[in-house]
Amino acid sequence: MPRITLPDGSVKEFDRPVTAGEVAASIGAGLAKAALGAKIDGQLTDLSTRIEKDVKLGIVTAKAKGATAPDADALYLLRHSCAHVMAEAIQRLFPGVQLVYGPPLENNFYYDMLFPTGKAMSTEDFAKVEAEMAKIIAEDRPFTRYDMPMSEGLAKLKSEGSKFKLDNAERAIEAGSTELSWYATGQPGKDWEDLCRGPHVPSTGRIGAFKVLSLASSYWKGDEKLDRLTRVYGTAFATKPELDAYMTQVEEAKKRDHRILGKQLRLFHIDEMVGQGLILWTPNGAVIRQELQNFIGEELRRQGYHQVFTPNIGKLDLYKTSGHFPYYQDSQYPPILEHDTMKMLANEGCTCGDLANRMKAGDIDGYLLRPMNCPHHIKIYASQQRSYRELPVRLCEFGTVYRWEQSGEIGGMTRVRGFTQDDAHLFCREDQIAEELQGCLSLVKLIFKTLGMTDYRVRVGLRDPDSAKYVGDPGNWDKAEQACRDAAKSLGVPFSEEPGEAAFYGPKIDFVMKDVIGRSWQLGTVQVDYNLPKRFGLEYIGSDNQVHQPVMIHRAPFGSFERFIGCLIEHFAGAFPTWLAPEQVRVLTISEKSEAWGREVLAMLKAAGVRATLDESPERIQGKIKAATEWKIPYLLVVGERDAEAKAVSVRARGVQENLGAMPAAEFVAQVKSEIAERSATLACGTRQP
RNA sequence: GCCACCGUAGCUCAGUGGUAGAGCACACCCUUGGUAAGGGUGAGGUCGUGGGUUCAAUCCCCAUUGGUGGCUCCA
């Protein structure tokens, strides 16, 4: 006799097992009609799930009462169900397609499929697929679940001959399932069905709005050695307006894309002839980078760092010792050989294979375009005898590194082949690790705070015990990982521990941000390393007059300027705070009669170190404002004859519709100068009304 | 690297088997105008690159290069 507790605390009693749908109906016809699924003791289930014991029950509807956003559980059900409908539609249109796996995601869903050889789907087929889906939805067939004991279910799958579904079932067994479940879209045995753990909406007709979005290739189980699958993405919502709102939101987000804004605002350029993933910083972007560098540079001096400069290449031996060459060869540009070596090899008729082997064996020397800065800094540390008294030694450099990323992975400024890290390596005693980590983390926090970035997460990257890609002994790894955990805890923000995310030489604390299309990027990073000091035999003389090995901390609070500024452009949607804005103030003259005063104001601004320009074109003031607005300039100063007489400027602040009125030019200059000096995240000038 | 799509003027994009067009931007002229586009004139492209089909290719086919979305990878 189930007693059912509803979310509002009220209790309903039944004298027989009931389904969640029946409970909904007992509450009200409207609710029953709106119900898409149920949450039983916190578990999302079908509406048709039988309830036999006392439970807490919530009915899932498209929108929770009073909520403005669609219900996340409802979207999950809709998308999961829509994935089935899409799979059925595609199988109708493309006979022989095998289904693999089709989960709902945060904003959409996909279905991985194997198309018969020679047959492929193209984006031109989307309309046909959508039309077929619309038919299935119009038929409003119920999602009907049926379960089978494991052995029987496996036998069924074997007879159907899909290795993918069989594998899914086997993984379900590993996860502890004792039964297998299918969902038929309609009648079991008669209509389309799919091995699936559910849950689903009651019937296909409940999928209010959907869209097939894109095509991609994927690997079975994410393993590039296994089958190459076709992944079809789609999304679904309860209503058309919600879908439209989502699509509009996606369009809006694209306008903030750093690649779009980078072009519009002339921040950077990528040129085919220079090379993929190689950023050319144009003057506007260079200003932002330089300002950030000045900002962090001031902090570094405060924190006792020493600036160093080192070259962008180094001999192969250096990277063999560090482990980069043997462990990460695939991610580096191939080594550079000297002329004489090339001639000698050519005379010997050396093949590429020979060359690779002989380089590995150390027979042939060459230079590597550096993938990291640490080996050079290590050599600076090792260039002189070190006493415990001078530790920690903190060497910093805005060091450019080159990595050979796969062509399909490169894009914009967030994933590039050459980038500059705000790098530093701290060589310290073991007892200094905690404090040094604190110092590094405080730098990262300062950056995020100054720029008003709050939407980031913290990841502690640990080694994957099953992988061979890490160097060093496990004992040191354990110590280093514990140091990272402790440091992350002290940050006072939530963090996740993620095995397999460590650097090859040590664990790390990463600060991760999302871009406008939802992709995550690692920005700042702090890493603890016992391994490289050992590989290079680094030393210091301790207070006991014995030789000791220092511990290294690698840290880059921005990560790389390329990636960071890519994210920063999106964070500000191109509207940078005054201290970062490439053009901080533009003076707009009303007519030729106020040109002299305009030039005077410009001179005052420049004298104060403000990046300012003067628009004395024959355009009307409306046109000048419109043009200036497109450059997202923080302040526009309109100067006319009235202003000239009063030695004043009429201030417009970016994002404020009406002008702020006139103020003495000298006062504006003083205000903007202090706003810039403070690195204020918001526009604060000209707020005083005359 | 894999799959799909895309590449036309500085930018955003239209277009056609018979060697191309718009808006913005740019240059010049008129206008001297007080807060989100005043008017006119003009210049600017071997339609990503290389092959092929064709009497004829920017358009069709192949290759290549670059971009976009995803997969994989990411020290």
Side-chain angles (χ1 to χ4, degrees):
Chain A
M1 304 306 107
R3 274 170 56 89
I4 292 168
T5 312
L6 298 169
D8 66 358
S10 65
V11 175
K12 280 202 166 261
E13 278 192 64
F14 293 87
D15 55 6
R16 57 180 174 82
V18 287
T19 68
E22 286 165 348
V23 178
S26 78
I27 296 168
L31 182 63
K33 208 177 153 209
L36 293 172
K39 235 173 172 175
I40 298 177
D41 289 335
Q43 183 92 29
L44 192 62
T45 68
D46 295 325
L47 217 47
S48 60
T49 304
R50 272 167 68 90
I51 300 167
E52 307 195 357
K53 58 182 177 59
D54 297 355
V55 296
K56 281 191 182 147
L57 174 73
I59 302 297
V60 175
T61 56
K63 222 179 243 181
K65 218 186 202 170
T68 50
D71 184 81
D73 289 323
L75 290 176
Y76 181 97
L77 292 168
L78 283 165
R79 288 172 185 158
H80 195 185
S81 303
C82 194
H84 278 222
V85 171
M86 184 178 80
E88 179 177 353
I90 291 174
Q91 282 196 319
R92 275 193 199 170
L93 294 167
F94 298 87
V97 164
Q98 289 190 63
L99 302 180
V100 182
Y101 179 56
L105 304 171
E106 194 184 336
N107 290 313
N108 48 24
F109 64 84
Y110 67 79
Y111 215 122
D112 276 345
M113 315 178 181
L114 183 68
F115 277 71
T117 317
K119 290 200 179 170
M121 189 168 153
S122 117
T123 45
E124 286 171 17
D125 299 315
F126 285 4
K128 274 188 282 176
V129 172
E130 286 176 348
E132 206 62 32
M133 290 170 73
K135 275 191 222 163
I136 296 166
I137 288 170
E139 287 162 18
D140 197 19
R141 305 200 305 253
F143 278 90
T144 316
R145 178 187 174 116
Y146 65 96
D147 296 275
M148 269 190 198
M150 195 53 76
S151 57
E152 205 180 313
L154 286 174
K156 171 178 160 66
L157 288 170
K158 274 178 195 153
S159 74
E160 289 168 358
S162 168
K163 67 173 177 180
F164 305 116
K165 288 292 165 184
L166 199 56
D167 182 75
N168 287 352
E170 278 159 5
R171 278 193 292 177
I173 297 170
E174 275 171 35
S177 296
T178 53
E179 282 190 327
L180 293 178
S181 57
W182 272 261
Y183 278 82
T185 317
Q187 278 182 37
K190 180 169 162 271
D191 288 306
W192 189 89
E193 65 171 31
D194 192 13
L195 172 76
C196 180
R197 69 178 173 179
H200 285 286
V201 295
S203 68
T204 59
R206 306 304 299 277
I207 301 166
F210 66 92
K211 192 166 179 59
V212 179
L213 295 173
S214 64
L215 274 175
S217 95
S218 64
Y219 303 113
W220 189 29
K221 300 183 187 181
D223 186 337
E224 60 188 335
K225 290 179 209 73
L226 301 179
D227 300 70
R228 286 172 189 206
L229 308 172
T230 302
R231 177 170 295 183
V232 190
Y233 281 87
T235 194
F237 285 87
T239 64
K240 183 79 169 37
E242 280 170 11
L243 173 64
D244 292 344
Y246 170 72
M247 298 309 292
T248 309
Q249 185 199 319
V250 169
E251 288 304 311
E252 285 301 310
K254 276 187 193 152
K255 290 184 194 159
R256 274 178 34 217
D257 190 310
H258 74 278
R259 291 163 298 194
I260 308 281
L261 287 170
K263 219 178 249 181
Q264 263 171 26
L265 304 177
R266 302 266 157 82
L267 300 174
F268 65 93
H269 174 65
I270 300 169
D271 197 283
E272 204 177 311
M273 204 179 263
V274 174
Q276 262 194 309
L278 300 172
I279 303 293
L280 304 177
W281 291 82
T282 47
N284 287 349
V287 165
I288 297 165
R289 172 168 162 169
Q290 187 67 55
E291 286 294 343
L292 289 177
Q293 190 170 315
N294 295 346
F295 164 49
I296 194 79
E298 284 171 24
E299 285 307 315
L300 296 184
R301 280 190 287 284
R302 241 170 247 148
Q303 289 200 12
Y305 282 74
H306 301 291
Q307 175 75 53
V308 298
F309 296 102
T310 62
N312 287 348
I313 64 172
K315 285 173 91 171
L316 223 40
D317 263 347
L318 180 68
Y319 299 101
K320 282 180 189 158
T321 304
S322 69
H324 290 94
F325 188 67
Y327 283 85
Y328 290 95
Q329 226 179 127
D330 291 346
S331 309
Q332 290 157 188
Y333 279 96
I336 301 161
L337 300 184
E338 292 187 21
H339 295 296
D340 291 347
T341 314
M342 300 264 271
K343 275 182 207 152
M344 180 193 82
L345 293 170
N347 290 339
E348 287 175 15
C350 176
T351 65
C352 291
D354 293 340
L355 178 61
N357 289 333
R358 289 172 68 178
M359 274 193 296
K360 227 178 244 174
D363 292 351
I364 298 175
D365 212 351
Y367 289 85
L368 202 60
L369 210 41
R370 67 174 169 194
M372 288 185 75
N373 302 310
C374 29
H376 288 114
H377 294 182
I378 285 170
K379 284 315 217 179
I380 291 177
Y381 175 87
S383 66
Q384 64 189 77
Q385 194 180 45
R386 303 289 181 174
S387 151
Y388 74 97
R389 292 175 189 278
E390 62 181 306
L391 263 47
V393 171
R394 309 182 185 94
L395 303 179
C396 66
E397 176 178 18
F398 300 106
T400 305
V401 298
Y402 296 89
R403 300 179 186 179
W404 194 86
E405 304 284 0
Q406 295 192 97
S407 64
E409 194 41 68
I410 295 170
M413 292 182 110
T414 43
R415 191 76 183 268
V416 294
R417 280 183 172 167
F419 54 94
T420 303
Q421 298 175 309
D422 58 326
D423 210 358
H425 296 91
L426 285 57
F427 301 84
C428 66
R429 305 190 307 260
E430 207 165 0
D431 63 286
Q432 293 171 319
I433 294 175
E435 194 183 338
E436 289 308 303
L437 286 176
Q438 284 302 321
C440 296
L441 294 177
S442 72
L443 265 180
V444 184
K445 281 202 283 192
L446 175 70
I447 289 169
F448 282 141
K449 188 174 157 237
T450 304
L451 296 168
M453 298 162 102
T454 50
D455 195 15
Y456 62 89
R457 69 185 180 88
V458 179
R459 172 177 75 193
V460 176
L462 307 173
R463 71 191 188 281
D464 172 1
D466 296 329
S467 170
K469 70 173 186 177
Y470 304 101
V471 298
D473 73 79
N476 282 341
W477 270 93
D478 289 340
K479 279 196 279 185
E481 289 183 349
Q482 197 49 48
C484 283
R485 262 189 216 104
D486 292 344
K489 268 178 209 156
S490 74
L491 261 176
V493 295
F495 64 93
S496 60
E497 294 189 15
E498 296 179 32
E501 292 293 332
F504 82 92
Y505 48 74
K508 48 184 194 161
I509 304 165
D510 292 332
F511 293 76
V512 179
M513 258 190 102
K514 279 189 182 171
D515 66 15
V516 288
I517 48 179
R519 292 180 295 202
S520 290
W521 299 105
Q522 176 202 310
L523 300 177
T525 182
V526 179
Q527 317 177 349
V528 179
D529 178 10
Y530 282 83
N531 289 313
L532 292 184
K534 192 172 172 194
R535 291 178 77 93
F536 280 95
L538 298 185
E539 300 179 342
Y540 68 87
I541 310 297
S543 57
D544 54 3
N545 199 31
Q546 300 294 304
V547 171
H548 298 271
Q549 196 155 81
V551 180
M552 268 176 83
I553 295 171
H554 309 237
R555 47 95 290 181
F558 287 117
S560 84
F561 284 117
E562 284 74 6
R563 181 177 287 177
F564 188 89
I565 290 174
C567 290
L568 196 65
I569 292 167
E570 300 186 357
H571 170 67
F572 288 122
F576 293 98
T578 309
W579 69 281
L580 286 173
E583 185 176 351
Q584 295 167 318
V585 179
R586 186 177 289 185
V587 183
L588 314 174
T589 53
I590 296 280
S591 74
E592 282 172 4
K593 291 173 196 145
S594 51
E595 263 177 30
W597 174 233
R599 289 199 195 105
E600 212 174 305
V601 172
L602 179 70
M604 286 169 77
L605 288 162
K606 286 197 164 164
V610 178
R611 293 184 290 271
T613 60
L614 173 66
D615 182 350
E616 47 184 348
S617 67
E619 187 56 72
R620 296 204 313 173
I621 194 65
Q622 290 87 338
K624 293 187 189 188
I625 290 169
K626 171 76 164 90
T629 303
E630 288 178 354
W631 290 95
K632 300 178 191 276
I633 302 162
Y635 295 105
L636 305 182
L637 304 182
V638 173
V639 294
E641 287 178 277
R642 284 206 304 270
D643 304 289
E645 269 170 45
K647 299 285 173 204
V649 291
S650 294
V651 182
R652 287 186 69 102
R654 183 183 58 209
V656 182
Q657 187 64 47
E658 62 282 2
N659 85 75
L660 303 173
M663 71 189 290
E667 189 178 327
F668 175 83
V669 172
Q671 276 193 21
V672 78
K673 197 175 164 186
S674 87
E675 180 183 320
I676 292 166
E678 284 163 21
R679 299 200 169 98
S680 166
T682 52
L683 306 192
C685 287
T687 46
R688 200 199 72 151
Q689 293 294 324

